[in-house]
């Protein structure tokens, strides 16, 4: 890629953005007096703030670069990551799972496992989540370095350290509140950077119809680039994401529900809401922008393969991750370039901040306070949270170089989810609806699920069915292997959980109050007491309306 001609005006825009980021952290610092203020925003934020932060935390490098890369590589099939692979799970989180999380007053997802199962299950999940969080944070740092090095010319190590420093400043100053309010700002900055890119790009290629014609005639994707379900038949798939079993069960059920309902980086935003009603609405509000974000990520990927025909091809010097940066290089003048760069920086920092802020909460509460230093004054844990924030970012700098080994960062992130989220979702869903599930079944299931994912990812590439043309001579379909790997992890966890449950002793029902469906906590009272909800704030109305929109759009692009 040719470096962009960034001038003083562009740097001024970036400087203003960074100044706002630090200012928000300083303002949020004034509200921090306890560890809960720092790590959970004192559970005081309104639904619209937590809802935008919820979606912005996901709208990081994984979303911007990864989904644009998928759009260029797979075409319109990528919408499955949004419409079947996100929105239904977000609605399920708001309507079904948030009453368990928020009503039980747990401070993290691992803490729920400690109360539902036992300490070993809790510790296993806390450690695995901490590892996943810093690995995912590294993805965002790597993506940032990729863009800055290519477009401005700064060396990757300098880009990584600079971005990490700004995230460190505003989280250390403002804690989760600083992260969340910055994520709200970043949401709008990201839109300001991507919308002009899509509008200019579409106009250049002749609008939507022109884009369709050129992709079909000029690229290897052909007509299937604009069909979401074509070629998904089992046994003879040709769709770039594989067959419908992998898409529906692997992506739409296991990976999607595993990510959105058990990934603490997302759930933490809802737990910071001021009451249960706001917590329930947090993922439901986030679902609406999620429905339409494909227009800002997938379409640029399709435009990129028309404008840069060699994109992602061997020997071209480019990867699919370069789709968005290449379009910025091709279309944007100074000024607009500064805004687009600020949008990219916002996306990377939002994604990293979400993982770091969840990492410091889990490490402080679920590992340090629970197993290493118990019963210390609250101010001690507040300081631990700040120190752990620094440690998490330093580790994230190291893990950024792991992500550098992947041609498509979405392939890498789905691989991580199949290891860390798929087993956890199986354990959660069984434990929440089957009160007989025993404490040791939780630990055994998580271990079995993680091993199941590992085994499948070793043997999957050696199975001809997962290769193009269903022969080992064709290239392996990395996403399809990830989807089936998630299914394998879920099934291994579920089977072992059921078997161990039948062989061991369950907890008394009295210890499951508020933790299992159908076993309410009498001491909790009515969580909605004293709150009069307006009709448009109804979680069911918000949730089912979002599902209806997804259903209609899915029919239009079938």
């Amino acid at each position: 890629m040719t470096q962009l001609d960034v001038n003083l005006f562009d740097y001024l825009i970036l400087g203003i953005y960074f100044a706002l980021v630090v200012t928000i952290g300083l303002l949020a610092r004034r509200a921090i007096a306890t560890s809960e203020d720092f790590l959970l925003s004192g559970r005081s934020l309104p639904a619209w703030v937590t809802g935008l932060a919820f979606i912005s935390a996901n709208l990081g490098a994984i979303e911007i670069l990864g989904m644009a890369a998928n759009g260029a590589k797979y075409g319109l099939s990528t919408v499955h990551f949004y419409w079947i692979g996100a929105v239904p799970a977000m609605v399920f989180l708001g309507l079904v799972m948030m009453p368990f999380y928020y009503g039980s007053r747990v401070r993290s997802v691992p803490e729920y496992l400690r109360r539902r199962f036992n300490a070993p299950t809790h510790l296993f999940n806390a450690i695995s989540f901490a590892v996943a969080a810093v690995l995912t944070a590294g993805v965002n740092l790597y993506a940032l370095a990729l863009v800055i090095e290519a477009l401005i010319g700064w060396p990757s190590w300098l880009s990584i350290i600079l971005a990490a420093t700004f995230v460190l400043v505003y989280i250390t100053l403002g804690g989760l509140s600083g992260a969340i309010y910055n994520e709200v700002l970043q949401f709008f900055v990201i839109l300001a950077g991507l919308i002009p890119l899509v509008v200019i790009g579409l106009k250049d290629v002749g609008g939507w119809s022109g884009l369709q014609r050129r992709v079909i005639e000029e690229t290897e994707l052909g007509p299937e680039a604009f069909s979401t379900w074509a070629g998904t038949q089992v046994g003879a798939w040709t769709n770039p994401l594989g067959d419908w079993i992998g898409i529906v069960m692997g992506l739409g059920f296991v990976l999607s529900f595993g990510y959105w309902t058990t990934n603490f980086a997302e759930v933490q935003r809802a737990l910071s809401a001021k009451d249960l009603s706001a917590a329930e609405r947090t993922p439901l509000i986030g679902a609406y922008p999620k429905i339409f974000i494909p227009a800002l990520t997938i379409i640029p990927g399709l435009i990129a393969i028309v404008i840069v025909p060699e994109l992602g091809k061997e020997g071209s010097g480019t990867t699919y991750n370069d789709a968005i940066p290449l379009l910025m290089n091709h279309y944007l003048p100074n000024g607009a370039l500064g805004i687009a760069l600020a949008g990219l920086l916002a996306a990377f920092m939002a994604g990293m901040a979400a993982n770091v802020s969840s990492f410091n909460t889990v490490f402080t509460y679920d590992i340090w306070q629970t197993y290493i230093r118990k019963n210390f004054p609250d101010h001690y844990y507040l300081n631990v949270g700040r120190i752990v924030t620094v440690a998490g970012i330093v580790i994230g700098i190291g893990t950024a170089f792991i992500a550098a080994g992947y041609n498509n960062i979405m392939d890498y992130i789905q691989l991580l989810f199949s290891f860390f989220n798929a087993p956890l979702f199986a354990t959660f869903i069984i434990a929440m609806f089957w009160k007989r599930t025993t404490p040791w079944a939780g630990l055994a299931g998580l271990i079995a699920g993680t091993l199941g994912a590992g085994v499948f990812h070793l043997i999957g590439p050696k199975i001809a069915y997962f290769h193009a043309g269903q022969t080992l001579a064709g290239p392996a379909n990395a996403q399809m292997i990830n989807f089936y790997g998630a299914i394998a992890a879920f099934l291994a966890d579920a089977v072992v959980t059921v078997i161990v449950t039948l062989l061991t002793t369950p907890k008394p029902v009295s210890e499951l109050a508020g933790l299992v469906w159908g076993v309410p906590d009498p001491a909790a009272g009515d969580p909605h007491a004293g709150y009069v909800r307006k009709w448009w704030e109804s979680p069911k109305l918000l949730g089912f309306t979002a599902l209806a929109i997804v259903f209609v759009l899915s029919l239009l692009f079938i």
Side-chain angles (χ1 to χ4, degrees):
M1 286 184 286
T2 305
Q3 290 181 14
L4 289 180
D5 183 21
V6 182
N7 66 14
L8 183 62
F9 187 36
D10 298 310
Y11 281 116
L12 178 63
I13 292 173
L14 291 176
I16 292 172
Y17 168 68
F18 281 121
L20 285 172
V21 164
V22 175
T23 301
I24 289 172
L26 287 169
L27 293 174
R29 180 183 177 87
R30 295 158 54 185
I32 295 175
T34 68
S35 63
E36 187 174 80
D37 292 336
F38 183 76
L39 298 170
L40 286 174
S41 297
R43 299 182 188 262
S44 61
L45 301 179
W48 73 271
V49 170
T50 55
L52 289 180
F54 185 90
I55 198 62
S56 183
N58 177 254
L59 195 58
I62 298 166
E63 188 87 356
I64 305 301
L65 291 192
M67 288 304 182
N70 274 355
K73 188 175 182 180
Y74 303 131
L76 214 59
S77 294
T78 306
V79 299
H80 290 311
F81 286 98
Y82 296 87
W83 296 344
I84 192 173
V87 175
M90 296 167 76
V91 172
F92 184 81
L93 172 63
L95 298 183
V96 178
M97 294 191 72
M98 278 318 301
F100 285 95
Y101 285 138
Y102 199 92
S104 62
R105 299 294 292 180
V106 296
R107 298 171 298 184
S108 68
V109 171
E111 185 174 326
Y112 175 88
L113 292 180
R114 177 176 61 80
R115 294 175 58 181
R116 177 62 182 86
F117 293 107
N118 54 18
T121 305
H122 169 253
L123 182 60
F124 180 88
N125 177 243
I127 292 173
S128 64
F129 174 80
V131 172
V134 293
L135 286 172
T136 309
V139 174
N140 288 282
L141 272 180
Y142 160 67
L144 174 70
L146 179 79
V147 172
I148 299 302
E149 182 178 18
L151 300 186
I152 300 181
W154 297 350
S156 59
W157 64 268
L158 177 61
S159 303
I160 288 174
I161 291 174
L162 180 66
T165 300
F166 275 98
V167 174
L168 174 63
V169 168
Y170 74 73
I171 296 182
T172 304
L173 287 173
L176 182 61
S177 293
I180 285 178
Y181 280 113
N182 263 305
E183 284 160 5
V184 173
L185 167 67
Q186 287 158 345
F187 175 77
F188 292 105
V189 173
I190 291 166
L191 294 186
L194 290 179
I195 290 174
L197 201 61
V198 174
V199 172
I200 295 171
L202 278 177
K203 183 178 180 181
D204 183 49
V205 298
W208 179 250
S209 59
L211 177 63
Q212 287 180 298
R213 177 182 55 79
R214 293 190 61 179
V215 168
I216 292 171
E217 295 177 357
E218 301 174 17
T219 75
E220 296 177 357
L221 287 179
E224 286 192 355
F226 295 93
S227 176
T228 56
W229 289 103
T232 59
Q233 59 269 29
V234 177
W237 61 269
T238 57
N239 190 285
L241 293 185
D243 62 29
W244 67 265
I245 293 178
I247 295 172
V248 173
M249 298 303 299
L251 173 62
F253 180 60
V254 180
L255 285 172
S256 171
F257 279 68
Y259 175 81
W260 291 103
T261 67
T262 66
N263 181 15
F264 186 53
E266 296 295 333
V267 174
Q268 186 184 31
R269 271 75 195 141
L271 289 180
S272 67
K274 64 181 181 179
D275 53 41
L276 176 57
S277 177
E280 290 172 328
R281 285 180 283 134
T282 293
L284 304 177
I285 291 172
Y288 286 87
K290 189 69 175 178
I291 294 171
F292 300 103
I293 285 172
L296 303 180
T297 54
I298 299 173
I299 292 177
L302 290 169
I303 294 172
I305 60 170
V306 170
I307 300 300
V308 189
E310 69 274 14
L311 179 66
K313 294 181 179 178
E314 188 174 352
S316 68
T318 66
T319 71
Y320 289 111
N321 296 326
D322 298 329
I324 293 285
L326 283 169
L327 289 188
M328 291 171 56
N329 199 0
H330 186 79
Y331 286 124
L332 297 183
N334 293 113
L337 173 60
I339 295 173
L341 283 174
L344 281 180
L345 291 172
F348 304 141
M349 291 197 294
M352 183 180 182
N355 285 285
V356 171
S357 61
S358 58
F359 169 79
N360 65 20
T361 301
V362 167
F363 188 91
T364 301
Y365 282 150
D366 293 288
I367 297 176
W368 195 264
Q369 184 183 44
T370 304
Y371 299 103
I372 301 175
R373 289 289 187 271
K374 300 179 181 180
N375 303 318
F376 275 60
D378 182 76
H379 186 72
Y380 170 82
Y381 298 113
L382 172 59
N383 289 332
V384 169
R386 288 196 166 109
I387 293 170
V388 171
T389 300
V390 177
I393 288 180
V394 170
I395 297 170
I397 291 173
T399 61
F401 296 98
I402 298 176
Y406 286 80
N407 177 274
N408 183 333
I409 58 175
M410 185 53 70
D411 291 345
Y412 172 59
I413 207 66
Q414 295 296 331
L415 172 65
L416 294 181
F417 291 163
S418 68
F419 272 90
F420 296 108
N421 294 102
L424 182 57
F425 176 61
T427 297
F428 253 87
I429 205 70
I430 294 172
M432 284 180 59
F433 292 99
W434 189 27
K435 60 186 177 184
R436 171 97 175 60
T437 310
T438 62
W440 289 109
L443 177 62
L446 288 175
I447 294 174
T450 304
L451 291 175
V455 169
F456 189 87
H457 282 288
L458 285 176
I459 66 173
K462 300 176 183 177
I463 300 174
Y465 183 64
F466 299 115
H467 291 252
Q470 282 84 73
T471 67
L472 288 173
N477 189 319
Q479 289 290 24
M480 188 179 183
I481 292 174
N482 288 334
F483 297 161
Y484 271 84
I487 295 172
F490 182 90
L491 291 176
D493 185 303
V495 169
V496 170
T497 298
V498 171
I499 292 173
V500 175
T501 290
L502 297 176
L503 297 176
T504 53
T505 304
K507 279 187 172 183
V509 175
S510 59
E511 296 183 18
L512 303 178
L515 301 172
V516 178
W517 190 268
V519 186
D521 184 359
D526 182 4
H528 292 110
Y531 181 83
V532 179
R533 185 158 50 200
K534 300 175 179 65
W535 67 268
W536 64 81
E537 295 176 332
S538 166
K540 290 183 179 179
L541 175 64
L542 289 169
F544 287 114
T545 301
L547 291 176
I549 295 173
V550 165
F551 179 73
V552 171
L553 288 174
S554 298
L555 290 179
L556 292 176
F557 292 95
I558 197 168

